[in-house]
Amino acid sequence: MTRKDKLLKDYLAHPLIQDKYKITDRRIPKNVDDGMMSSSPIIKAIAHIINEVEYPSKSEKEVEQLIRKLLNKSPL
């Protein structure tokens, strides 16, 4: 398990995130790549943020636009 995979699991295991977005341990993806393919907008957004922080390939503004687009697709 890579550092970014552990980071994703830690974020998604936080009680506030789990309570607010109804994320159970079963729904937590095994790695960031799986998280980026998730049907849950919040899981997908957090996975994209972690991936871009670890290996920045986009500008901060591009990442912000991507996250906004992901979160606006589905009401949380």
Side-chain angles (χ1 to χ4, degrees), residues 3 11 16-17 20 23-24 34 36 50 62 66 71:
R3 181 178 171 269
Y11 272 109
L16 292 175
I17 297 290
K20 181 167 180 136
I23 297 173
T24 61
D34 288 347
M36 291 192 299
I50 290 170
E62 289 173 315
L66 172 66
L71 295 177

Side-chain angles (χ1 to χ4, degrees), residues 8-15 17-19 21-31 43:
L8 177 64
K9 285 184 182 271
D10 285 346
Y11 272 109
L12 296 176
H14 193 282
I17 297 290
Q18 287 189 339
D19 289 344
Y21 299 106
K22 309 296 182 231
I23 297 173
T24 61
D25 289 338
R26 285 193 345 254
R27 288 188 59 203
I28 296 176
K30 294 181 184 195
N31 56 50
I43 292 173

Side-chain angles (χ1 to χ4, degrees), residues 32-72:
V32 171
D33 292 333
D34 288 347
M36 291 192 299
M37 302 305 283
S38 175
S39 61
S40 168
I42 194 66
I43 292 173
K44 190 180 280 191
I46 292 172
H48 276 283
I49 291 169
I50 290 170
N51 194 54
E52 287 303 319
V53 167
E54 185 79 20
Y55 303 107
S57 62
K58 297 177 177 80
S59 71
E60 193 173 307
K61 184 168 180 89
E62 289 173 315
V63 173
E64 180 183 342
Q65 289 172 342
L66 172 66
I67 300 307
R68 285 180 188 271
K69 183 178 171 184
L70 289 171
L71 295 177
N72 284 328

